Amino acid sequence: MTKMYRQALRTAVQGGELKAAESKALYLQGLCDRLRFDPAKALAIHTDVYRNKLKSILDEKRAISDEDQDAMLELRVLLCVQEDVVRDAQKELCGTIYAQAVDKALSSGTEAFGKEQANAVRGVQGDLRLPDDIALETLTIKIRAIFNAFIGKARSQKNQKDAAKELRKMVFFNANCVCKLLEPLKPDAIRDVTPPPAKTEGEGEAKEGITEARDLMAPEQKKADADRGVFNK
C-alpha cells in the first residue's frame, strides 16, 4: 500500500495535478481516502521525501542556491510539510555541515582565530540558509562540549597552578573565539557566554553565578498548527 501511495503521489506531482489543486491538503486527503491509506503514514512519507530532497542537494553542493530554495519551498507547499519538519531537517542536515565549519575554524588554534575564521563560519551558514537560532543552538552545544573538556583537563591536574593555567586557557578561548562566533548570531548573548563554573583544589569553588553555556540555547520553536487536518501547515 505504501508503494502504491508513493506511485500515486509521484504521478500527481509530476503530472501537475497536485500543483493545480486549489487545496493541496484536501487533494492529499482525497488521495488517501481513495487508496484507503492512513494519512499519518502519508505525512511520514512526505517528510521522508522532503528530507531526502534536501539531503541530495547538500550531498552534491554543501550549499543551497536560490533555485534550490525555491524548489524546496514548492515541495513543502505541495506536500504540506509542516514547519517543525523543515526545522528538524535543517538542524540535522544543515546543522551537521555548519558544525564541521566551526570545527575547521577552531582548528586554527585559539591564538590564531580571528575575523577570517569567524567570517568563514558565517559564510557557510549563509550558503546553507541556516536560520540564526538553529546555528546558535548548534554552536552552543559545541561550545559547551569544549568548555567541559577544558574543565575536565583542569580537574585532572595534580596541582593548583596547572589547573588554574587550564582555566585561563578556557577564558581566553571564550574571549577570542566564542564571542566572535556568537556576535553575528546573537550580540546580546556575548555578555552571557562565560565558561561554566569549575572547582580547583586550593582555590575553592569558582563563583556559582557564572552562566553556563546551556543558557544560550535558542527559545523553543513554535509548533505548526494542524487544526484543519493532518496535512495542513
Side-chain angles (χ1 to χ4, degrees), residues 110-124:
T110 302
E111 293 187 4
F113 190 93
K115 288 185 177 181
E116 180 180 352
Q117 287 75 20
N119 288 340
V121 172
R122 184 65 169 174
V124 170

Side-chain angles (χ1 to χ4, degrees), residues 7-211:
Q7 181 59 49
L9 181 64
R10 186 180 301 111
T11 300
V13 172
Q14 294 178 349
E17 189 174 343
L18 178 56
K19 185 175 183 179
E22 183 176 352
S23 171
K24 311 303 188 279
L26 289 177
Y27 182 95
L28 293 169
Q29 185 64 56
L31 184 61
C32 288
D33 292 342
R34 290 196 300 273
L35 297 175
R36 296 184 179 180
F37 190 65
D38 185 352
K41 292 182 179 179
L43 194 60
I45 290 174
H46 301 173
T47 297
D48 187 55
V49 169
Y50 183 88
R51 184 186 178 283
N52 286 340
K53 176 63 175 178
L54 178 59
K55 185 177 185 299
S56 68
I57 292 173
L58 295 175
D59 285 346
E60 179 183 356
K61 307 175 182 178
R62 295 181 69 83
I64 299 175
S65 67
D66 291 341
E67 292 76 14
D68 294 329
Q69 189 176 37
D70 290 342
M72 292 303 300
L73 178 58
E74 181 179 15
L75 183 61
R76 177 185 175 185
V77 171
L78 289 176
L79 301 184
C80 298
V81 176
Q82 298 184 18
E83 177 69 16
D84 59 338
V85 172
V86 174
R87 289 179 61 85
D88 286 346
Q90 288 178 317
K91 189 182 299 184
E92 178 186 354
L93 301 175
C94 299
T96 296
I97 297 175
Y98 176 76
Q100 291 170 352
V102 173
D103 285 336
K104 182 178 180 180
L106 293 177
S107 68
S108 63
T110 302
E111 293 187 4
F113 190 93
K115 288 185 177 181
E116 180 180 352
Q117 287 75 20
N119 288 340
V121 172
R122 184 65 169 174
V124 170
Q125 181 193 346
D127 290 341
L128 295 170
R129 314 298 176 103
L130 188 64
D132 281 354
D133 62 327
I134 296 180
L136 178 61
E137 182 176 346
T138 302
L139 182 59
T140 298
I141 293 171
K142 185 163 290 292
I143 290 171
R144 182 188 302 148
I146 295 173
F147 281 164
N148 287 336
F150 273 119
I151 292 172
K153 189 172 182 179
R155 287 174 174 168
S156 69
Q157 302 303 311
K158 295 182 179 180
N159 60 71
Q160 170 188 327
K161 183 177 180 181
D162 289 341
K165 182 178 180 180
E166 293 301 324
L167 293 179
R168 283 196 296 271
K169 289 181 181 179
M170 179 174 64
V171 172
F172 182 52
F173 168 77
N174 179 65
N176 198 54
C177 301
V178 176
C179 288
K180 288 184 176 68
L181 289 170
L182 282 172
E183 186 174 7
L185 297 176
K186 190 177 179 183
D188 292 341
I190 292 179
R191 62 175 178 270
D192 298 325
V193 189
T194 52
K199 299 177 182 178
T200 57
E201 294 183 4
E203 291 187 340
E205 298 185 358
K207 293 182 178 179
E208 292 296 333
I210 298 178
T211 305

